[in-house]
Amino acid sequence: MTSVLPAPSTRRTATRRHYVMCRPEHFDVTYAINPWMDVTVPVDRDLAVRQWENLRATYVDLGHRVDLLDPVAGLPDMVYTANGATVVGGVVLGARFRHAERAAEAASHLAWFRGHGFARVVDPEFVNEGEGDLLAVGDLVLAGTGFRTDPLAHVEAARVLGREIVPLELVDPRFYHLDTAIAVLDDSTIAWLPAAFSPASQAVLRMRFPDAFEAGPADADVLGLNAVSDGRNVVLPVAAGGLAAAIAERGFTPVPIDLSELLKGGGGPKCCTLEVRA
Ligand code: ARG
């Protein structure tokens, strides 16, 4: 009889995670700083809040801890908490935003971490957009540049976080943050969109992650790679059906989520989720 369980090598283990989220009470598209944003397309804020509440409830149901950052009027992108900091080994590297429209979000994140007992909270010198461009994978931090995060911030992140940084160059404006082009599934497994990277960065990723699997354009075009994994359960946009199937084949459990309103700002589940790594 054939077993329905994946082979032992692909059996996945979930670990409890700690996330920071921000309810999209002031979410809107009033400016356009990435190609997904169109100020002429109306936003249904109530629907955005309902979809976001579903994302939060999904994490809680999976056993994760979710803390909330207070939304601030006039900061419509604050729902994308992943951009506000990078937390590795209990060290908090704050963000510095590329665009003036989001600059004030950084202070809310710094204040939150300082108020929650984090001993080392660093206000950065160079532009970095948090986990949008700094993705921890095991002991490494993959670091994006090209659209938002300054390459000098990679050096700063290596020093502050005490981790090896792998700089990667993004080349397609639709995939302006690293977390739109790479999904971190566990400490050694990623899914990615090769076309989002320069040839040199594609070569680096192929060398570092020979088992990585490639997303197709159809999944990437719905920000399917903007996913959140606990090592087994992978929360990803509902429209990314091909990616969900590929993930399931490798022993992960896809957890599809509809965040259609927040996609109008250019974000998906990962953008709305800042991970706190103790
Ligand atoms: N409108 C936001 C921006 O352009 C979206 C941020 C999405 N966040 C992310 N982690 N990719 O900055």
Side-chain angles (χ1 to χ4, degrees), residues 33-34 37 77 80 82-83 102 132 148 176-177 179-180 265-266 271:
I33 56 173
N34 69 57
M37 302 174 86
D77 274 339
Y80 305 114
N83 300 128
R102 297 195 67 185
R148 300 289 180 90
Y176 57 96
H177 274 143
D179 70 357
T180 64
C271 300

Side-chain angles (χ1 to χ4, degrees), residues 224-228 234-241 243-244 247 253-258 269:
L225 288 166
N226 198 250
V228 177
V234 181
V235 175
L236 81 175
V238 65
L243 189 61
I247 282 170
T253 305
V255 182
I257 286 280
D258 187 359

Side-chain angles (χ1 to χ4, degrees), residues 27 31-34 37 77 80-83 97 99 102 105 129 131-133 148 176-180 223 226 262 264-268 270-272:
F27 176 65
Y31 51 81
I33 56 173
N34 69 57
M37 302 174 86
D77 274 339
Y80 305 114
T81 51
N83 300 128
F97 287 84
H99 299 97
R102 297 195 67 185
E105 294 177 39
E129 295 204 349
E131 287 194 310
D133 278 324
R148 300 289 180 90
Y176 57 96
H177 274 143
L178 192 61
D179 70 357
T180 64
L223 286 189
N226 198 250
L262 294 163
K264 294 177 180 173
K270 173 58 208 164
C271 300
C272 298

Side-chain angles (χ1 to χ4, degrees), residues 12-15 17 185 229-234 247 251-254:
R12 308 295 180 177
T13 314
T15 53
R17 306 296 169 121
L185 302 176
S229 176
D230 63 14
R232 184 175 68 200
N233 305 292
V234 181
I247 282 170
F252 295 97
T253 305

Side-chain angles (χ1 to χ4, degrees), residues 59-255:
Y59 290 140
V60 172
D61 288 347
L62 288 170
H64 304 312
R65 169 176 168 188
V66 178
D67 286 334
L68 297 181
L69 197 62
D70 288 332
V72 176
L75 296 177
D77 274 339
M78 208 169 160
V79 60
Y80 305 114
T81 51
N83 300 128
T86 308
V87 189
V88 174
V91 175
V92 182
L93 174 64
R96 183 170 293 263
F97 287 84
R98 168 74 53 195
H99 299 97
E101 292 90 337
R102 297 195 67 185
E105 294 177 39
S108 287
H109 283 263
L110 291 175
W112 191 91
F113 283 103
R114 288 189 176 124
H116 283 76
F118 288 80
R120 187 134 194 257
V121 180
V122 176
D123 189 2
E125 187 180 346
F126 299 104
V127 168
N128 89 67
E129 295 204 349
E131 287 194 310
D133 278 324
L134 298 170
L135 294 178
V137 191
D139 290 338
L140 295 176
V141 176
L142 306 182
T145 188
F147 297 100
R148 300 289 180 90
T149 295
D150 188 323
L152 290 172
H154 295 174
V155 182
E156 184 173 30
R159 180 170 48 76
V160 172
L161 301 174
R163 296 293 165 105
E164 183 188 352
I165 301 286
V166 180
L168 297 167
E169 193 189 354
L170 295 161
V171 296
D172 181 334
R174 291 174 308 147
F175 307 107
Y176 57 96
H177 274 143
L178 192 61
D179 70 357
T180 64
I182 290 182
V184 178
L185 302 176
D186 66 21
D187 286 351
S188 57
T189 312
I190 63 165
W192 67 308
L193 179 70
F197 295 90
S198 68
S201 294
Q202 290 181 26
V204 168
L205 284 165
R206 289 207 165 88
M207 196 180 65
R208 293 264 186 179
F209 300 94
D211 301 329
F213 55 107
E214 298 182 7
D219 289 317
D221 287 354
V222 293
L223 286 189
L225 288 166
N226 198 250
V228 177
S229 176
D230 63 14
R232 184 175 68 200
N233 305 292
V234 181
V235 175
L236 81 175
V238 65
L243 189 61
I247 282 170
E249 222 169 81
R250 286 163 176 85
F252 295 97
T253 305
V255 182

